Amino acid sequence: MNQITNEVSNAVRILRETVPLVHNITNYVTVNDCANALLAIGASPIMADDIAEAADISAISSALVLNIGTLNQRTIASMLAAGKKANELGIPVVFDPVGAGASKLRNDATREILKQVKITVLRGNISEVSFVAGLNVSTKGVDASEADGGNDAVAIAKAVAEQLGCTAAITGAVDVISDGKRVIKIHNGHPMLSKVTGTGCMTSALVGAYAGALRDGLTASVAGVVSMGIAGELAYEAAGQTGTGSFHIAVINALGRLDSELMEKRAKLDEA
């Protein structure tokens, strides 16, 4: 077993022992999925996006997850308030710039969050993270564009990690995660994950749970992303032939089963 596999196997145990409270200001399309994914992995979710309490909830949480999937002016203010409070108290912040590159509102919000909030982890697809890196992108709504698929994910992840002083996690057919020094590639997952809404949002929430338990952005990112990848594989084995609805539920079931032994057995991780 290599070093990073050992680290993420221990991470599952630590998360379930500590039960971190994870504050999510997230996408209302997938908020229920994110809450259930967090419960399944052993964390405690709280979804509070009103400006009157966003900072207060962050102050009592183990981690904060900001997701701009269904963006509006009201939640931008809440994200900034929650992020600043998390920074003040040393609480890790995970940022998912959903659809960055697709509209002026998303682009401006992404830039403003990154300007005002020190993030621990940036988790997105190749188009979203390429936008943060300052590259021209052809984002396809909230999904990665095939035109951006040729971008060098390793180089972009390292560049963004160094630029922002964070861990950058680029998810795709092969996931690439870097803190600017180490580079981890993850080969888990199943194509059916892309046919169910919310799997990216759930992945960011899972990264938040591990970040709250570990306070280590790189290990948290690898653990969160590989947890969803393994869950997708197990879900396909259990229910993939039935259809996407059954597969969706099976993903949550698989996250509930995930432990150190399963992580050790199924994680497909390479460290460059």
Side-chain angles (χ1 to χ4, degrees):
M1 181 170 54
N2 59 26
Q3 178 187 346
I4 188 62
T5 301
N6 184 59
E7 289 169 0
V8 298
S9 297
N10 286 332
V12 183
R13 174 185 54 77
I14 294 167
L15 189 159
R16 292 193 182 278
E17 288 173 354
T18 56
V19 194
L21 178 64
V22 184
H23 180 197
N24 300 260
I25 302 179
T26 190
N27 182 344
Y28 60 67
V29 174
T30 64
V31 64
N32 185 62
D33 291 323
C34 291
N36 281 319
L38 286 168
L39 287 168
I41 204 67
S44 178
I46 185 165
M47 278 59 182
D49 66 5
D50 193 282
I51 189 66
E53 69 168 354
D56 290 342
I57 297 300
S58 281
I60 63 168
S61 298
S62 303
L64 170 66
V65 179
L66 304 177
N67 177 312
I68 65 170
T70 47
L71 191 63
N72 59 67
Q73 295 291 351
R74 178 182 65 81
T75 52
I76 292 171
S78 298
M79 288 180 184
L80 292 173
K84 289 176 181 178
K85 177 58 70 173
N87 285 172
E88 180 186 322
L89 299 175
I91 295 164
V93 180
V94 176
F95 179 42
D96 187 338
V98 180
S103 73
K104 185 176 186 301
L105 177 64
R106 289 176 190 275
N107 298 351
D108 290 348
T110 296
R111 292 189 185 103
E112 201 59 29
I113 289 168
L114 292 175
K115 178 182 176 183
Q116 296 196 42
V117 178
K118 175 71 175 71
I119 65 168
T120 309
V121 177
L122 179 80
R123 203 294 307 170
N125 62 38
I126 188 66
S127 296
E128 294 156 351
V129 182
S130 293
F131 171 82
V132 172
L135 302 178
N136 291 324
V137 298
S138 51
T139 304
K140 180 186 172 185
V142 299
D143 297 319
S145 167
E146 288 184 14
D148 299 326
N151 293 354
D152 186 338
V154 171
I156 291 168
K158 289 180 71 175
V160 168
E162 290 169 359
Q163 173 189 334
L164 299 177
C166 71
T167 295
I170 301 177
T171 49
V174 176
D175 310 302
V176 175
I177 298 172
S178 178
D179 60 359
K181 299 186 179 83
R182 298 173 71 183
V183 176
I184 314 295
K185 291 186 177 181
I186 302 173
H187 303 273
N188 290 98
H190 192 277
M192 206 166 182
L193 284 167
S194 66
K195 303 301 181 185
V196 174
T197 190
T199 53
C201 300
M202 285 189 274
T203 301
S204 294
L206 293 172
V207 171
Y210 283 106
L214 304 173
R215 301 300 177 100
D216 174 351
L218 181 75
T219 306
S221 298
V222 177
V225 173
V226 78
S227 291
M228 180 54 71
I230 292 171
E233 294 168 357
L234 293 171
Y236 183 77
E237 292 167 11
Q241 300 302 321
T242 308
T244 53
S246 297
F247 175 80
H248 184 186
I249 296 300
V251 167
I252 302 296
N253 291 340
L255 288 171
R257 290 174 49 204
L258 192 60
D259 58 15
S260 295
E261 186 178 348
L262 260 178
M263 186 75 88
E264 229 176 87
K265 179 180 177 183
R266 300 199 62 134
K268 300 171 188 172
L269 307 175
D270 293 328
E271 181 159 7

